[in-house]
């Protein structure tokens, strides 16, 4: 299927030259001319391919040449994929790879430098060599607009002591459209990942010819274009409205927007990504690099031991710095422990929600068949959660700085000392309640992993209220608080790793034969 006319060797698409190159004699060939000369061009909208099936997870990928695969990129198994011949519907377009494997590995390595607590095996050269080139099928939507759009609303400005509110109406001729809106057409490929590596330069798309696939793999199409049509229209309307109103200096509040957006055309295209899988036990993590632009998406877990050792190493200079800048008494040490207890639980709370979102396929419409939003929280908790972490962190740090500053001038914080400790405890208990509600559908025991924070809060609150004269009580409560916070952080890291990884996929039940 991909034999060199000169020597019979295997041809592969060479990214730097954008040509087919023989692996044996290095003869170059133009992909389009080669297909035409060897009847490889799709016939009746189809082309010949091999379907490679993983016996472990059931994932199916396509190879337009005679490539065999001994590694499954979806489940991370080292196994010989089973092969069978087929004829696939040809897409209308393709964007050939522009980023080669060495460039891809450098992009990933540069990103990994920012993750100092990542498992060391992620930096192993043998692991980086597992990057596989994939063509992912996408639906490409072109959206048109009505010729006479109307946007109405209000605008306001101050005149002296009065606020003047006026109505406005924006009309005009919107003959242009928004083209090249893409959504992945494979349910195997998480929508959250596909959105993270977009955009692609669809204006550079070439007509499809199978030779571009030589040396790479392609995923199969199994989602209907109608699943994303409304999303494409909504995105186009939001983009057009934002661009139209951006020319106005005043703040405009839109009450009605009639742009008449509609899908004017849809085509199927294969777009390039580099795909890397990390597996540990029954969890996998994916890293994906846009094969055209180099934009990267990574799922990088934390190494618990490296994280705790790093936190301990960081704590030593921090403690020395505080001793130099402030008079760190037993009381201020306990206050510091109280604030760290709250901040540690906020980190744990965020990881609980991430785990719940991953389990519920939030944002992954291709797999769920519909939009999945966060659930399990009351409307009041949803209102608070969006800004709770930032607000609480600000409150905690402000209290800490205020009372540390007071304590640096006065060896004793006086009768006001219990107030910030009690405030941190109340905020902590509130977030524990909110987290328990948000994790209800995840069936995750919240109270047990957060027991360290609860014990820490109880210890510092008791000592703050009792106000014993001996420093040993304050130092003892501080030790209990730091130990409890460490336990909560360990639970948070476990949830973080659950949130950035996913269960080993199982595609055996997917109706792959009902392809579009």
């Amino acid at each position: 299927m991909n034999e060199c006319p000169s020597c019979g060797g295997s041809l592969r698409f060479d990214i730097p030259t954008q040509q087919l190159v023989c692996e044996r004699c290095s003869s170059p060939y133009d992909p389009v001319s080669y297909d035409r000369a060897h009847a490889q061009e799709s016939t009746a909208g189809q082309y010949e391919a091999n379907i490679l099936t993983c016996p472990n997870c059931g994932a199916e990928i396509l190879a337009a040449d005679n490539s065999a695969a001994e590694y499954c990129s979806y489940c991370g198994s080292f196994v010989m994929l089973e092969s069978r011949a087929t004829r696939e519907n040809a897409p209308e377009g393709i964007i050939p790879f522009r980023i080669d494997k060495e460039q891809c590995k450098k992009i990933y390595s540069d990103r990994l430098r920012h993750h100092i607590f990542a498992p060391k095996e992620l930096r192993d050269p043998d692991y980086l060599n597992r990057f596989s080139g994939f063509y992912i099928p996408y639906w490409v939507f072109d959206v048109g607009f009505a010729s006479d759009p109307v946007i109405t609303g209000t605008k306001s400005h101050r005149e002296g002591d009065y606020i003047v509110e006026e109505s406005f109406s924006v009309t005009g001729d919107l003959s242009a459209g928004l083209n090249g809106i893409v959504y992945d057409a494979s349910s195997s490929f998480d929508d959250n990942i596909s959105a993270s590596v977009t955009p692609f330069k669809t204006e550079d798309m070439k007509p499809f010819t199978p030779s571009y696939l030589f040396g790479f793999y392609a995923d199969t199409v199994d989602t209907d274009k109608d699943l994303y049509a409304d999303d494409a229209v909504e995105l186009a309307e939001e983009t057009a409205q934002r661009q139209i109103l951006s020319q106005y200096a005043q703040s405009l509040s839109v009450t009605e927007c009639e742009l008449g957006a509609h899908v004017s055309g849809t085509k199927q295209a294969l777009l390039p990504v580099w795909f890397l899988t990390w597996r540990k036990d029954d969890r996998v993590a994916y890293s994906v690099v846009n094969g055209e632009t180099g934009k990267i998406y990574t799922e990088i877990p934390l190494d618990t031991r490296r994280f705790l050792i790093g936190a301990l190493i960081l704590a030593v200079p921090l403690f020395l710095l505080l001793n130099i800048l402030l008079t760190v008494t037993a009381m201020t040490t306990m206050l510091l422990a109280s604030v760290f207890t709250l901040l540690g639980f906020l980190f744990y709370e965020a990881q609980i929600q991430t785990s719940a979102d991953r389990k519920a396929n939030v944002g992954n419409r291709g797999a769920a068949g519909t939009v999945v939003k966060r659930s399990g929280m009351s409307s009041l908790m949803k209102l608070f959660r969006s800004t709770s972490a930032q607000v609480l962190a600000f409150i905690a740090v402000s209290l800490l700085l205020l009372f540390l500053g007071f304590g640096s001038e006065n060896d004793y914080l006086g009768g006001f000392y219990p107030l910030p400790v009690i405030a941190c405890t109340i905020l902590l208990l509130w977030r524990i309640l909110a987290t328990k509600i948000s994790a209800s559908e995840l069936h995750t025991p919240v109270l047990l992993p957060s027991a360290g924070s609860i014990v820490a809060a109880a210890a510092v609150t008791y000592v703050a209220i009792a106000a014993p004269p001996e420093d040993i009580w304050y130092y003892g409560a501080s030790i209990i608080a730091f130990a409890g916070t460490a336990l909560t952080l360990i639970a948070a890291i476990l949830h973080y790793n659950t949130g950035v990884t996913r269960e080993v996929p199982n595609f055996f039940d997917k109706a792959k034969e009902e392809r579009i």
Side-chain angles (χ1 to χ4, degrees):
M1 237 179 347
N2 62 328
E3 294 182 353
C4 173
S6 299
C7 69
S10 296
L11 295 176
R12 293 290 182 268
F13 180 75
D14 183 61
I15 297 174
T17 64
Q18 296 289 293
Q19 298 283 308
L20 297 180
V21 175
C22 177
E23 293 183 336
R24 183 184 300 171
C25 67
S26 300
S27 298
Y29 302 93
D30 176 69
V32 177
S33 300
Y34 177 85
D35 280 347
R36 288 175 178 170
H38 296 79
Q40 280 287 105
E41 195 169 21
S42 57
T43 304
Q46 293 187 327
Y47 67 98
E48 295 180 0
N50 290 323
I51 289 185
L52 306 178
T53 305
C54 174
N56 284 349
C57 70
E60 292 184 350
I61 57 177
L62 298 175
D65 52 20
N66 296 319
S67 297
E70 299 179 349
Y71 177 75
C72 176
S73 294
Y74 281 106
C75 71
S77 299
F78 286 92
V79 62
M80 179 63 72
L81 273 62
E82 302 166 356
S83 175
R84 72 177 189 275
T86 185
R87 294 193 66 84
E88 287 291 312
N89 293 329
E92 286 89 342
I94 187 171
I95 296 180
F97 275 87
R98 298 287 181 181
I99 302 293
D100 64 26
K101 191 170 185 175
E102 292 305 313
Q103 292 173 303
C104 172
K105 289 159 62 174
K106 184 179 185 305
I107 292 170
Y108 177 80
S109 297
D110 290 342
R111 172 62 62 87
L112 208 59
R113 291 195 186 116
H114 303 290
H115 296 265
I116 59 176
F117 301 123
K120 62 180 181 180
E121 57 264 28
L122 297 187
R123 296 175 171 83
D124 189 331
D126 290 337
Y127 169 71
L128 296 183
N129 283 331
R130 297 180 199 170
F131 264 111
S132 299
F134 269 81
Y135 282 99
I136 302 298
Y138 279 78
W139 293 115
V140 183
F141 294 92
D142 295 337
V143 178
F145 300 98
S147 58
D148 52 349
V150 177
I151 301 177
T152 59
T154 59
K155 57 184 179 180
S156 60
H157 64 278
R158 178 178 289 276
E159 292 184 2
D161 295 333
Y162 299 93
I163 295 178
V164 180
E165 185 173 283
E166 302 174 279
S167 298
F168 74 87
S169 178
V170 178
T171 59
D173 182 10
L174 190 61
S175 57
L178 186 61
N179 299 330
I181 302 175
V182 299
Y183 294 93
D184 78 85
S186 169
S187 63
S188 305
F189 197 55
D190 192 316
D191 287 359
N192 297 298
I193 300 178
S194 64
S196 297
V197 296
T198 57
F200 291 87
K201 299 176 183 177
T202 53
E203 64 273 13
D204 297 334
M205 191 182 303
K206 299 179 180 294
F208 174 77
T209 188
S211 291
Y212 287 119
L213 303 183
F214 289 175
F216 302 96
Y217 303 104
D219 207 341
T220 55
V221 179
D222 60 359
T223 62
D224 193 283
K225 61 184 178 182
D226 294 337
L227 187 64
Y228 300 106
D230 291 341
D231 291 336
V233 170
E234 181 179 352
L235 177 60
E237 284 190 338
E238 291 176 354
T239 303
Q241 176 182 310
R242 184 168 59 252
Q243 291 180 348
I244 291 172
L245 298 182
S246 65
Q247 59 187 304
Y248 296 93
Q250 289 180 306
S251 176
L252 306 178
S253 177
V254 177
T255 57
E256 185 177 3
C257 181
E258 294 292 338
L259 299 181
H262 59 278
V263 175
S264 59
T266 308
K267 53 181 172 287
Q268 186 192 126
L270 291 177
L271 307 183
V273 300
W274 287 101
F275 204 84
L276 180 65
T277 305
W278 177 82
R279 178 171 179 171
K280 185 174 183 180
D281 300 326
D282 60 346
R283 306 292 297 182
V284 293
Y286 299 140
S287 295
V288 177
V289 177
N290 185 314
E292 182 194 26
T293 66
K295 188 176 181 181
I296 185 172
Y297 167 89
T298 55
E299 296 175 339
I300 300 178
L302 290 174
D303 185 299
T304 305
R305 185 177 64 176
R306 290 166 66 94
F307 181 85
L308 293 178
I309 292 175
L312 180 61
I313 294 174
L314 180 63
V316 173
L318 179 62
F319 180 78
L320 294 176
L321 180 64
L322 286 175
N323 272 282
I324 294 173
L325 299 178
L326 301 171
T327 303
V328 181
T329 64
M331 286 185 173
T332 55
T333 300
M334 196 177 81
L335 178 58
L336 181 66
S338 178
V339 173
F340 279 177
T341 297
L342 175 60
L343 297 179
F345 186 82
L346 291 177
F347 178 62
Y348 172 71
E349 177 194 13
Q351 307 321 313
I352 282 278
Q353 186 60 62
T354 303
S355 297
D357 290 350
R358 174 59 55 85
K359 185 173 182 179
N361 271 322
V362 171
N364 188 12
R365 174 174 286 195
T370 184
V371 174
V372 180
K373 299 181 179 180
R374 287 178 175 169
S375 59
M377 289 188 288
S378 67
S379 57
L380 180 62
M381 291 302 177
K382 288 179 180 179
L383 176 65
F384 282 130
R385 189 193 181 281
S386 59
T387 57
S388 64
Q390 298 92 326
V391 171
L392 291 182
F394 175 77
I395 293 173
V397 172
S398 298
L399 288 172
L400 176 65
L401 293 176
L402 174 65
F403 280 83
L404 283 179
F406 183 71
S408 66
E409 300 294 333
N410 302 272
D411 189 53
Y412 181 65
L413 295 178
F416 293 103
Y417 176 76
L419 294 182
V421 176
I422 294 173
C424 285
T425 299
I426 292 174
L427 294 174
L428 172 68
L429 294 176
W430 171 48
R431 295 320 307 163
I432 288 176
L433 175 61
T435 305
K436 191 175 188 305
I437 294 174
S438 68
S440 59
E441 292 194 358
L442 189 62
H443 305 294
T444 296
V446 173
L447 295 180
L448 183 60
S450 62
S453 295
I454 297 174
V455 171
V460 296
T461 303
Y462 173 77
V463 173
I465 295 175
E470 298 86 359
D471 286 350
I472 188 65
W473 286 90
Y474 297 92
Y475 285 123
S478 300
I479 292 173
I480 293 175
F482 283 124
T485 302
L487 292 176
T488 301
L489 285 177
I490 291 174
I493 292 171
L494 295 177
H495 271 287
Y496 173 84
N497 287 342
T498 300
V500 299
T501 61
R502 57 195 75 214
E503 294 180 355
V504 172
N506 181 0
F507 300 114
F508 285 109
D509 297 332
K510 283 175 52 177
K512 283 284 189 177
E513 59 275 4
E514 298 180 2
R515 298 183 195 130
I516 299 171

